[in-house]
């Protein structure tokens, strides 16, 4: 590792009461994007900085790592995921300055999220916030077993992100604000992948075995709860001045969909049958509406719900269009007849 890159890593993590300087982050991004350069020593330097007793140094080191995860070459997070352990800051506390205890709480929450992000990469073998989306994307093409496993991994990572519970009046310095901005970007991209997994899950639900339906229903109920928590997280983003055009506006899913899923599972339990009923036994369709709109131009549109069959409008085709905030967005997907389509926020 060249001396200039060492200088950039150290420069990004000084004890100055300010966010990591952009010029140092740019140098580090350029370094890890060069495929002939090793990222191991860089990771070692940043990891060592998290062992400081100063909350400023530790927080800046975490922000720098997160910045490189989000904006740098994937091999950086791949290397972090290969390590036996990443950050052990669950007991971190800086009592040396007035704001130390408060910032220490956020450091513990933030480091846990970065650990979960790294672990998710190890388990899924990709950064879920950057995977391809759309009809032929990763979350939409998984088989049932793989999908159930991946959605549970996403839920754990999403929980860790939403556990960073900062109020607008606590985002008072450049360091924690920089961390929040990176978390905001991850929250939007992670939820996009999470949402696509749920679309796939619902599309398979009425053809699943009873045990899979039980697991899927639990995942869907947790998805609804996390959607509510995400809305609260995004409200903070709005209050700290993030452009409303970049903030999703989320409404709750219809109760009718959840009831249809519960009804189907109950029918399997009543029959003590682990297999789904024949599609020829399905009753006449009923409908319910679900809409999620946002300023980033993606939404959940009206859907068709039959008592034992879930399908999207447009011949069971579903699509997602999301802004270029997420690297995996499929901007060429013109399918507008699905579960997710473009609509402006109000």
């Amino acid at each position: 590792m060249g001396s200039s890159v060492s200088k950039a890593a150290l420069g990004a993590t000084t004890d100055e009461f300010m966010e990591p300087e952009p010029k140092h982050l740019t140098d580090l991004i350029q370094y890890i994007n060069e495929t002939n350069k090793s990222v191991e020593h860089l990771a070692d330097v940043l990891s060592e900085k998290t062992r400081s007793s100063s909350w400023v140094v530790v927080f800046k080191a975490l922000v720098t790592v997160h910045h490189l995860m989000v904006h740098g070459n994937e091999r950086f997070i791949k290397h972090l995921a290969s390590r036996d352990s990443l950050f052990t800051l669950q007991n971190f506390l800086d009592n040396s300055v007035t704001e130390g205890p408060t910032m220490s709480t956020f450091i513990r929450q933030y480091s846990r999220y970065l650990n979960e992000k790294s672990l998710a990469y190890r388990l899924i073998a990709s950064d879920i916030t950057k995977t391809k989306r759309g009809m032929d994307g990763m979350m939409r093409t998984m088989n049932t077993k793989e999908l159930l496993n991946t959605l549970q991994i996403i839920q754990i990572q999403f929980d860790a992100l939403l556990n960073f519970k900062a109020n607008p009046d606590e985002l008072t310095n450049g360091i924690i604000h920089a961390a929040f901005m990176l978390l905001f970007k991850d929250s939007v991209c992670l939820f996009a992948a999470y949402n696509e997994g749920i679309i796939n899950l619902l599309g398979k639900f009425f053809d699943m075995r009873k045990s899979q339906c039980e697991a899927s229903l639990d995942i869907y109920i947790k998805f609804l709860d996390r959607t509510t928590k995400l809305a609260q997280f995004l409200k903070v983003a709005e209050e700290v001045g993030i452009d409303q055009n970049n903030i999703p506006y989320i409404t709750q899913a219809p109760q009718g969909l959840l009831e249809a899923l519960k009804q189907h599972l109950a029918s399997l339990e009543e029959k003590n049958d682990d297999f789904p009923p024949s599609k020829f036994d399905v009753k006449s369709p009923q409908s319910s509406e679900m809409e999620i709109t946002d300023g980033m131009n993606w939404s959940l549109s009206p859907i068709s719900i039959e008592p034992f069959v879930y399908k999207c409008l447009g011949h069971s085709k579903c699509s997602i269009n999301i802004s270029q905030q997420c690297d995996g967005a499929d901007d060429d997907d013109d399918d507008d007849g699905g579960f997710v389509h473009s609509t402006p926020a109000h």
Side-chain angles (χ1 to χ4, degrees):
M1 179 171 170
S3 59
S4 61
V5 178
S6 297
K7 182 178 179 180
L10 296 175
T13 56
T14 64
D15 60 1
E16 292 181 84
F17 192 57
M18 58 181 290
E19 66 183 282
E21 289 190 48
K23 66 178 182 180
H24 296 313
L25 297 178
T26 299
D27 288 343
L28 295 177
I29 290 292
Q30 182 178 355
Y31 176 82
I32 64 175
N33 285 349
E34 296 178 8
T35 57
N36 63 328
K37 301 292 181 64
S38 170
V39 298
E40 182 176 358
H41 185 60
L42 171 58
D44 286 341
V45 172
L46 294 174
S47 179
E48 180 63 30
K49 298 294 278 187
T50 66
R51 299 185 181 92
S52 170
S53 60
S54 166
W55 76 263
V56 173
V57 173
V58 174
F59 217 156
K60 289 174 73 170
L62 294 177
V63 168
T64 301
V65 169
H66 195 183
H67 184 90
L68 298 181
M69 283 179 166
V70 171
H71 299 290
N73 189 285
E74 187 175 348
R75 63 200 188 91
F76 182 73
I77 189 174
K78 183 177 182 180
H79 170 74
L80 296 180
S82 70
R83 295 192 165 205
D84 293 334
S85 63
L86 194 53
F87 304 118
T88 54
L89 295 168
Q90 62 272 18
N91 297 317
F92 178 82
L93 180 62
D94 181 357
N95 279 319
S96 65
V97 291
T98 303
E99 67 276 11
T102 299
M103 291 299 112
S104 295
T105 298
F106 292 120
I107 284 173
R108 294 193 295 269
Q109 296 170 353
Y110 193 35
S111 64
R112 183 196 165 206
Y113 170 71
L114 295 180
N115 283 339
E116 293 297 346
K117 183 177 175 72
S118 176
L119 178 59
Y121 186 96
R122 182 190 305 178
L123 296 175
I124 302 175
S126 64
D127 183 347
I128 200 66
T129 65
K130 297 182 180 181
T131 54
K132 182 179 180 180
R133 285 179 293 281
M135 287 298 295
D136 58 346
M138 174 177 165
M139 296 304 299
R140 296 284 284 276
T141 55
M142 284 185 176
N143 61 46
T144 300
K145 182 178 179 181
E146 189 178 18
L147 181 63
L148 290 172
N149 179 62
T150 302
L151 281 171
Q152 292 180 73
I153 295 170
I154 290 175
Q155 285 181 338
I156 293 172
Q157 182 180 342
F158 206 54
D159 282 347
L161 189 154
L162 296 176
N163 193 49
F164 190 90
K165 299 177 180 178
N167 296 318
D169 58 359
E170 292 174 316
L171 300 175
T172 54
N173 63 72
I175 305 171
I176 190 173
H177 189 270
F180 184 82
M181 292 298 293
L182 290 167
L183 289 169
F184 167 74
K185 178 179 174 64
D186 270 8
S187 73
V188 174
C189 300
L190 187 59
F191 185 77
Y194 193 6
N195 180 61
E196 289 221 329
I198 294 296
I199 293 171
N200 191 2
L201 189 76
L202 295 176
K204 298 177 183 298
F205 187 85
F206 298 96
D207 295 319
M208 291 180 181
R209 304 171 70 97
K210 182 177 71 175
S211 58
Q212 293 174 329
C213 283
E214 291 172 340
S216 297
L217 181 59
D218 179 68
I219 287 173
Y220 181 67
I221 291 173
K222 289 178 179 178
F223 171 77
L224 297 180
D225 177 64
R226 284 153 181 78
T227 300
T228 300
K229 292 178 179 178
L230 175 62
Q232 297 168 350
F233 182 87
L234 296 178
K235 183 174 178 60
V236 175
E238 181 179 356
E239 292 181 12
V240 298
I242 293 178
D243 191 332
Q244 289 188 355
N245 290 328
N246 293 326
I247 300 176
Y249 173 71
I250 300 174
T251 60
Q252 288 297 317
Q255 187 66 22
L257 175 54
L258 180 58
E259 291 304 317
L261 303 180
K262 290 181 177 179
Q263 180 182 354
H264 174 67
L265 178 57
S267 71
L268 294 180
E269 292 174 339
E270 182 179 348
K271 296 177 182 179
N272 196 26
D273 189 355
D274 195 36
F275 294 92
S278 169
K279 293 182 180 179
F280 294 104
D281 296 333
V282 172
K283 300 177 183 179
S284 59
Q286 299 177 351
S287 66
S288 181
E289 292 188 349
M290 170 164 47
E291 186 175 77
I292 293 182
T293 59
D294 71 2
M296 281 180 30
N297 299 326
W298 61 282
S299 71
L300 295 184
S301 63
I303 61 173
S304 172
I305 303 174
E306 301 174 2
F308 300 108
V309 176
Y310 168 83
K311 66 179 181 180
C312 300
L313 298 177
H315 307 291
S316 299
K317 294 173 71 178
C318 302
S319 67
I320 185 166
N321 293 310
I322 195 166
S323 80
Q324 293 182 351
Q325 282 209 36
C326 305
D327 295 341
D330 187 355
D331 296 324
D332 297 326
D333 192 345
D334 296 324
D335 179 7
D336 193 37
F339 190 82
V340 180
H341 74 97
S342 298
T343 185
H346 301 288

